[in-house]
Amino acid sequence: MILKADSISKRYFRPTGQANYFEAVKPLSLTLASGAVTVLMGRSGSGKTTLLHMLSGLLTPTSGKVLLDETDLYSLKDGALSCLRNEKIAVVPQGRSAVDTLTALENILLPWQLCRKNAPVERAEHWMEALGIAALRDVPAKELSGGELRRAAIARALCQETPVLMADEPTGDLDDENTRLALSILKDAAKRENKTVLIVTHESEARAFADEIWKMDGGTLHPEQ
Amino acid sequence: MKTASLSLRNLTRRPGRTWALVLLTGFLSLSLFAGSVVVMSLQSGLNSLEARLGADLIVVPKAAQSKASFQNIFLQGTVGAFYMDAELLDEIAATEGVAKAAPQTFLATLKADCCSSRLQVIGFDQQADFTVQPWIVQSSSRELGPMEVAVGSSISAGVGESIRIYQKSCPVVARLSATGTGLDTAVYCSMETMKTLLAAAEEMGVSHKVTADNSDGVISAVYVKVAEGADIDQVASSLASHPSWKTAVVQTRSMITGVSDGLAGVSSAVKVLIGAVWALAFVILLVVFALLMNERRREFAVLRLIGASRRKLARVILTETGLVCLLGGCLGVAVGAALVFPFTALIESTLNLPFLTPSWGRILLIAALSLAGTVLMGMLSSARTAWKLSRVDTGSILREGN
């Protein structure tokens, strides 16, 4: 499955300052191939997360299109786009991304239970085991640490079984060992399951797991040499 | 996990938050249910009193002092008796404009073994009567026989049982429907039975102003039905214009009007109170739901992220609110019922107004409407928040605090 950004840009209205808008992402085009890990790097405020949100169907671009194969994401109505996000594009967002009233396992299965049938409990347990959080299966999310929550979010995205997986700073709260583990699992998923994987990160160690590296600077995208 | 299941888990795993909301909405439901039952009971009591009195005018001795004390016998069940010359009956009946005149004799007994308090026994002339008989007919198809009595709904003895008055056993053959007034504590018998009871009282050494010997010569009140086309005020004026009679004329319409005015005042106060509670609760719920939902913005953003549509998200929020309001509503109705029904007598005596609890069917209807109102208000107050939340930029929320 190919995810393609066609001249997308994002402007935010800004009432103060020299200009009355701020261009977080300048018009750019990008194609993410399946079976490959694309790493997007750049300084804070360079527009990485904004780009990821636009590519994942969470943020409508000011201009341009995002195509998943032939489907223009933002031409879909909210119900259809939500459904597409659930079935085709898994996202690991920055920060806490768990429902506190649910356990770790329930959080991982939530995308299935929310929109689909027959939640794959064994598969969820497999990813928890792989990410070293199997013992936290029935622990409420509110009791998990930042690193545990991050791994639970990665497990949820993997368990969602989507052709596209995007992760925003997936190793932000992890130690070196778990950083390598998480990145290798994502790389492995891309290869074995032919997933399209996009990782937005500051982590230089991610370079080792990338098939393609892009760098963002001031809202523009450059391939890293 | 479907929407309802997710909502249910959110509620059960945050018990403190959930119970606080349940209590708030319960208070709403309580005020609506209890307030409505009180207002409807007062209205039913007034209607019933109007129907039971049945007469246009009541002639009582001046000894009855005033309309107010006479009213107490009807409204509060105050036991009392007053007498006048029975010969006045013929003169009253002969007055122009009077269609019917029926005498009644009151007797205030000592404690009888059926009741813990004194009884108001009312003897009536079964041939002339037009106010008691229509109510007895609803329970018994025949006239009262010797020593037989009909009892008000608050008397504990039922049909087929007997009550003892001055050691005389009086079979209960009819039980009158409730009026929510003092008439519910009265015992009705024929004039002949009244005479027997008076004789029994004398045998026991209990003296009354009326005795078995003179009972034919005295009555307590004459109920008057004015002839069709006759002016009630004019007839009342004619009846009151005999100083030698030493009687007072009570217009039941004015008595009802007095009660009705009191009822209107209380009803208005209760309605204003309900309105104020609801307005206040609506604002509080609006703020509480806005604060709670704002606190859970990130949780809702996560749900959007993993594929919840705006509609589904709104459904999660509204289901949670609906469940809270349903639980709160049931609790409020239950507490309201526990506060009102055991204390109807106290409410009646405090308000000094007839108080007749509506039928179970009506009570269930009020309960259902109170519940529906509470749920609807809760949904309305959270709908705005649900709408706003489902339209916020998910990406922006997910970036907050990072």
Side-chain angles (χ1 to χ4, degrees):
Chain A
M1 191 159 265
I2 294 172
L3 184 70
K4 199 165 151 186
D6 183 10
S7 301
I8 59 169
S9 68
K10 186 67 189 179
R11 283 179 180 183
Y12 288 109
F13 173 70
R14 188 162 58 184
T16 55
Q18 290 177 333
N20 63 355
Y21 63 87
F22 162 65
E23 196 158 35
V25 174
K26 291 172 179 157
L28 61 83
S29 295
L30 175 71
T31 302
L32 300 176
S34 55
V37 175
T38 303
V39 171
L40 183 58
M41 305 189 87
R43 287 186 296 184
S44 298
S46 60
K48 305 185 297 295
T49 298
T50 302
L51 177 59
L52 182 144
H53 285 163
M54 286 194 288
L55 292 172
S56 60
L58 288 169
L59 182 64
T60 310
T62 307
S63 65
K65 290 178 184 174
V66 177
L67 300 163
L68 184 63
D69 284 345
E70 300 303 315
T71 309
D72 178 357
L73 263 53
Y74 295 100
S75 68
L76 299 174
K77 289 195 170 169
D78 180 67
L81 178 58
S82 300
C83 201
L84 180 139
R85 267 202 309 271
N86 180 272
E87 291 171 1
K88 303 276 199 299
I89 306 171
V91 179
V92 180
Q94 284 187 53
R96 291 178 72 89
S97 67
V99 177
D100 283 347
T101 49
L102 302 180
T103 65
L105 180 68
E106 286 168 345
N107 266 291
I108 291 166
L109 293 172
L110 194 55
W112 280 84
Q113 291 173 322
L114 202 63
C115 302
R116 296 185 243 172
K117 288 177 181 172
N118 306 322
V121 178
E122 283 181 16
R123 191 169 165 81
E125 287 171 337
H126 161 76
W127 288 120
M128 291 184 87
E129 183 77 45
L131 286 155
I133 53 171
L136 306 173
R137 186 184 188 279
D138 298 318
V139 176
K142 62 184 171 195
E143 293 175 19
L144 299 180
S145 69
E148 289 164 344
L149 279 172
R150 187 123 300 263
R151 282 180 282 164
I154 296 170
R156 181 180 64 207
L158 289 164
C159 189
Q160 210 170 327
E161 294 186 342
T162 53
V164 180
L165 189 155
M166 298 186 194
D168 194 356
E169 302 288 0
T171 59
D173 299 305
L174 303 181
D175 54 40
D176 291 347
E177 187 185 340
N178 279 313
T179 294
R180 280 191 295 276
L181 178 69
L183 291 172
S184 69
I185 285 173
L186 290 173
K187 170 92 178 177
D188 204 39
K191 299 299 172 195
R192 282 184 191 220
E193 297 173 26
N194 202 34
K195 276 185 194 289
T196 303
V197 176
L198 172 68
I199 299 173
V200 169
T201 184
H202 283 103
E203 192 69 61
S204 57
E205 200 162 348
R207 294 171 196 275
F209 297 87
D211 295 303
E212 196 176 9
I213 301 174
W214 291 85
K215 195 169 179 186
M216 278 207 85
D217 186 17
T220 56
L221 192 64
H222 311 282
E224 191 171 87
Q225 302 304 318
Chain B
M1 190 189 309
K2 296 301 168 198
T3 314
S5 175
L6 180 63
S7 302
L8 202 58
R9 286 192 200 195
N10 279 333
L11 293 175
T12 54
R13 293 180 187 180
R14 289 281 176 109
R17 185 176 71 188
T18 304
W19 278 110
L21 287 171
V22 164
L23 289 177
L24 187 63
T25 51
F27 185 62
L28 257 186
S29 162
L30 163 72
S31 69
L32 185 61
F33 176 73
S36 302
V37 167
V38 167
V39 169
M40 287 192 75
S41 298
L42 290 171
Q43 192 58 54
S44 299
L46 178 70
N47 294 342
S48 177
L49 175 66
E50 198 170 4
R52 178 63 72 86
L53 287 175
D56 299 314
L57 302 168
I58 303 172
V59 182
V60 292
K62 277 231 167 71
Q65 286 180 335
S66 66
K67 189 179 72 178
S69 71
F70 183 69
Q71 196 167 304
N72 284 346
I73 292 179
F74 291 103
L75 299 186
Q76 293 185 320
T78 307
V79 176
F82 35 80
Y83 302 101
M84 59 188 182
D85 194 340
E87 286 179 2
L88 288 176
L89 174 64
D90 293 335
E91 294 186 52
I92 291 168
T95 304
E96 195 182 343
V98 172
K100 292 178 185 174
Q104 289 189 357
T105 306
F106 296 170
L107 174 65
T109 73
L110 299 178
K111 275 190 180 179
D113 60 4
C114 75
C115 306
S116 58
S117 59
R118 296 167 73 199
L119 284 175
Q120 177 76 49
V121 182
I122 300 175
F124 65 99
D125 181 341
Q126 296 193 84
Q127 270 67 54
D129 175 74
F130 60 93
T131 60
V132 183
Q133 207 73 36
W135 292 85
I136 293 178
V137 167
Q138 291 179 5
S139 175
S140 170
S141 56
R142 62 181 178 81
E143 285 193 346
L144 299 180
M147 297 313 291
E148 287 180 341
V149 294
V151 295
S153 64
S154 297
I155 301 288
S156 57
V159 174
E161 296 176 322
S162 294
I163 56 173
R164 289 182 73 79
I165 303 174
Y166 296 128
Q167 299 299 337
K168 293 286 180 189
S169 179
C170 303
V172 176
V173 296
R175 192 175 173 82
L176 309 188
S177 54
T179 63
T181 67
L183 296 174
D184 292 340
T185 59
V187 173
Y188 296 88
C189 63
S190 66
M191 289 297 195
E192 291 69 30
T193 303
M194 176 63 89
K195 195 182 278 188
T196 309
L197 292 176
L198 287 168
E202 281 173 50
E203 278 174 30
M204 288 179 66
V206 179
S207 65
H208 287 289
K209 283 182 184 172
V210 60
T211 64
D213 292 337
N214 72 4
S215 67
D216 284 338
V218 293
I219 50 176
S220 298
V222 178
Y223 283 63
V224 172
K225 188 81 182 168
V226 171
E228 207 173 321
D231 182 60
I232 294 175
D233 293 329
Q234 207 168 348
V235 176
S237 172
S238 300
L239 290 171
S241 63
H242 295 277
S244 59
W245 288 8
K246 294 181 181 170
T247 55
V249 180
V250 178
Q251 283 203 41
T252 54
R253 190 181 56 191
S254 69
M255 192 161 115
I256 297 290
T257 305
V259 174
S260 179
D261 289 346
L263 183 142
V266 174
S267 291
S268 300
V270 172
K271 283 174 189 167
V272 166
L273 198 65
I274 294 173
V277 166
W278 272 64
L280 190 67
F282 182 71
V283 174
I284 291 172
L285 279 178
L286 208 65
V287 173
V288 166
F289 280 125
L291 287 174
L292 279 178
M293 296 307 169
N294 197 48
E295 184 194 302
R296 296 170 63 192
R297 275 157 59 92
R298 194 167 182 90
E299 177 187 324
F300 294 130
V302 170
L303 292 178
R304 288 282 284 152
L305 175 85
I306 60 175
S309 61
R310 288 190 182 115
R311 184 177 291 194
K312 185 163 269 190
L313 195 61
R315 210 183 302 151
V316 169
I317 295 169
L318 292 176
T319 304
E320 277 191 43
T321 311
L323 288 171
V324 161
C325 293
L326 197 63
L327 190 60
C330 289
L331 190 74
V333 167
V335 173
L339 285 177
V340 172
F341 298 128
F343 301 108
T344 49
L346 182 68
I347 297 171
E348 185 182 345
S349 64
T350 306
L351 297 177
N352 193 19
L353 290 169
F355 192 89
L356 182 60
T357 314
S359 66
W360 281 110
R362 286 206 131 194
I363 289 169
L364 285 177
L365 184 68
I366 298 171
L369 289 175
S370 304
L371 206 56
T374 306
V375 171
L376 188 69
M377 175 172 264
M379 300 288 247
L380 279 177
S381 54
S382 69
R384 184 176 159 271
T385 309
W387 187 85
K388 277 180 77 178
L389 261 182
S390 65
R391 269 154 183 79
V392 294
D393 175 4
T394 307
S396 304
I397 298 174
L398 289 170
R399 294 178 74 165
E400 281 172 7
N402 293 316

